Amino acid sequence: MTAASITTASLCSLVLVVSTTAFVPSYSSYLTNQIINNNNNHASSHLTKLNATKKKKTPKKSSTKNKSGGGFGSSSPTATKPKQKRSDTIQYPELEDQVRQTLIPSPFDITDEESATVLAEEMYDRLEDIYGLEKFNFGGVGAIYKSIGVVTDDDDDDDTVNEQKTEEEGGSSLFDDILSGGSTSTIGAGSDPLEELFGKSPAPTPSASASDKEEEAAAPFDLNSIPAFEKFRVLHTDPMVLAIDDFFTNEECDKYVQISIDAEKQQTNSAAAGVETTQEETALQPMLLGQSQTVGKDSRSKAQRTSTTWFHYYKGVPELMAKASRLLGLEGIDRFEEPQTVRYRRNEKFTWHLDALSPEEANNPSGSGQRIATLLVYLTDVPAGSGGATMFRDLGGNNGAEDSQPLKVRPKKGSALLFFPSAGGIPGAPFDIRTLHCGEAVAEDAENEKWIAQLWLRQRGYEPTAPVGNSHGDASDEIGRYCTSQV
């Protein structure tokens, strides 16, 4: 896929951000003093945070020179903080005007839950060019790849033509620089304005690099046996938010709820009786743990997340691992964090937060990099008017204006929600502030509790730490058996 194939709308939205006059935004400066990683209670993890009490540095003066290492935010370091009008979002300022201008709403009626259909080719182009997912939903109508691990003669010819075209044109453009994560262009060479903000240069665009893809181990199972997904709803175009309504069957949803409940009962009963469970009894049993890492104030995040989370063995959830890999077009599962299930009882919620990790952790060269995709699977139905929606504060109507309503995604049993918490296609942006979201409180009189399964995809291979002994490789046989059963 060549750079010329990306849509005009996408090009405009990307170039708009890169061509702003400065990249030390008041919004990002504010978030830098708030970013903290909450302890997820992993045995080998520890609380890390950015020091919010450091002496503030004098902001750099605004420059009219284009920069290649920027992100989203204000072009003026002296811009005043927007007034706060939403009581539940006090720690996150409203988006500034130039950030709102990058938003591209869905071209469809997002209120129609029965409108799911095959994904348009334009969206496949965006997923490849902006988020690096060239094999997304391979084999689907309009998909770029027809299968995993198969390269046709036509594909080889296309690659040759693309290489020749690049050589003939010579050099590199700003657009090439955007898509390559700032590695090809000399625009903005010299000091990096975000270095002043974070104390060190941020990582390149948080998407999988070519070397990462080469290192990804090929799966010992055949994902081609799982049918391509056909029921998509485009809830927002840029940043992209997708609903996949044919992700899980009702039986799979019920299974994941039940194994979580059973694990909690067994752990509770064993602890009360003072009995240690055997290794055989806990071989696939998920572990009840605390909250996972998000960007936000430590005191507020801990106080405002009232749900319950289980961390699962990869081999205990083969359906989730196989379908997530199949959707994203991955030939292995080694970049996924520990799979989780989360229970929201009535009146429980998770307030506004970002899924992305802090720049400090994401930029650790020995780590797994940034979270580049969030996948939520709704395991229960929560009817309209009963709360429990996943809400994106700035992706609603009226182009994210202050008086607009958030984009609300109602939990629909078996449906998956996919979005990208780090800034796809924007060099140097540590996270995409436009993906600020929350889990709305479940109504006290709601018919059902809210249950979800969730996965995060990292830039590079991830080393799981919970439950004890969890391993990607141990899941291969179970995933293989599941794939075979789908033939």
Side-chain angles (χ1 to χ4, degrees), residues 193-204:
L194 280 182
E195 187 172 356
E196 179 75 17
L197 183 64
F198 296 116
K200 58 183 177 181
S201 297

Side-chain angles (χ1 to χ4, degrees), residues 175-446:
F175 182 74
D176 293 330
D177 187 65
I178 294 173
L179 297 183
S180 65
S183 60
T184 62
S185 176
T186 58
I187 299 175
S191 63
D192 188 338
L194 280 182
E195 187 172 356
E196 179 75 17
L197 183 64
F198 296 116
K200 58 183 177 181
S201 297
T205 303
S207 60
S209 67
S211 59
D212 293 333
K213 293 177 181 178
E214 290 173 1
E215 293 174 0
E216 186 175 45
F221 40 79
D222 185 10
L223 294 173
N224 295 289
S225 60
I226 303 176
F229 300 101
E230 298 180 341
K231 295 184 178 180
F232 290 90
R233 285 180 287 139
V234 179
L235 303 177
H236 202 269
T237 301
D238 193 350
M240 185 171 288
V241 181
L242 294 176
I244 306 95
D245 286 343
D246 56 345
F247 192 83
F248 258 13
T249 65
N250 285 339
E251 293 74 20
E252 289 167 345
C253 291
D254 295 341
K255 172 186 173 181
Y256 280 47
V257 171
Q258 195 60 51
I259 60 177
S260 301
I261 293 176
D262 290 346
E264 182 177 18
K265 287 181 179 179
Q266 182 168 342
Q267 291 172 18
T268 301
N269 293 339
S270 298
V275 178
E276 293 186 5
T277 55
T278 65
Q279 185 174 359
E280 290 76 14
E281 290 175 324
T282 60
L284 295 179
Q285 191 177 89
M287 181 177 293
L288 181 62
L289 291 177
Q291 60 192 182
S292 55
Q293 297 173 327
T294 55
V295 174
K297 279 188 177 180
D298 182 52
S299 60
R300 293 180 62 86
S301 293
K302 285 186 176 180
Q304 294 183 6
R305 183 171 188 174
T306 53
S307 57
T308 305
T309 302
W310 288 260
F311 284 73
H312 292 255
Y313 288 97
Y314 296 100
K315 64 181 179 180
V317 288
E319 303 89 350
L320 177 62
M321 303 314 303
K323 288 188 175 183
S325 299
R326 202 248 176 277
L327 175 69
L328 297 174
L330 306 176
E331 297 186 40
I333 66 170
D334 61 299
R335 288 164 51 199
F336 283 112
E337 292 187 28
E338 297 90 346
Q340 303 175 19
T341 50
V342 185
R343 179 185 194 176
Y344 292 86
R345 296 175 173 87
R346 293 163 184 84
N347 295 320
E348 292 186 342
K349 63 182 180 180
F350 190 5
T351 55
W352 302 105
H353 63 281
L354 297 168
D355 282 356
L357 302 173
S358 71
E360 182 179 66
E361 178 167 352
N363 294 352
N364 183 353
S366 63
S368 302
Q370 186 58 275
R371 287 171 171 167
I372 63 174
T374 295
L375 182 69
L376 306 180
V377 186
Y378 298 111
L379 305 177
T380 55
D381 268 313
V382 180
S386 298
T390 303
M391 300 196 299
F392 295 84
R393 188 192 70 176
D394 302 306
L395 304 186
N398 200 17
N399 201 32
E402 212 171 321
D403 59 348
S404 66
Q405 295 299 311
L407 167 63
K408 299 181 69 170
V409 185
R410 181 187 71 82
K412 183 178 180 182
K413 188 174 182 178
S415 178
L417 182 68
L418 176 67
F419 61 96
F420 306 92
S422 49
I426 307 300
F431 43 78
D432 191 340
I433 60 179
R434 304 172 301 171
T435 61
L436 182 70
H437 62 287
C438 76
E440 183 185 30
V442 179
E444 187 171 0
D445 60 351

Side-chain angles (χ1 to χ4, degrees), residues 95-169:
L95 291 186
E96 297 176 3
D97 287 341
Q98 74 176 57
V99 184
R100 292 196 190 105
Q101 292 171 14
T102 68
L103 300 173
I104 302 177
S106 172
F108 307 103
D109 179 8
I110 61 175
T111 64
D112 185 3
E113 292 187 356
E114 304 304 320
S115 63
T117 185
V118 296
L119 198 61
E121 290 187 14
E122 174 191 0
M123 300 304 165
Y124 282 107
D125 289 344
R126 284 180 172 274
L127 286 161
E128 179 191 22
D129 293 331
I130 300 177
Y131 301 107
L133 298 175
E134 61 184 359
K135 298 179 182 178
F136 186 85
N137 196 37
F138 57 90
V141 176
I144 299 170
Y145 273 68
K146 299 307 176 186
S147 61
I148 279 284
V150 177
V151 179
T152 66
D153 293 338
D154 291 340
D155 291 331
D156 290 335
D157 292 341
D158 289 341
D159 291 339
T160 302
V161 171
N162 292 338
E163 291 173 2
Q164 291 175 347
K165 184 175 181 180
T166 300
E167 292 174 359
E168 291 171 0
E169 291 174 349

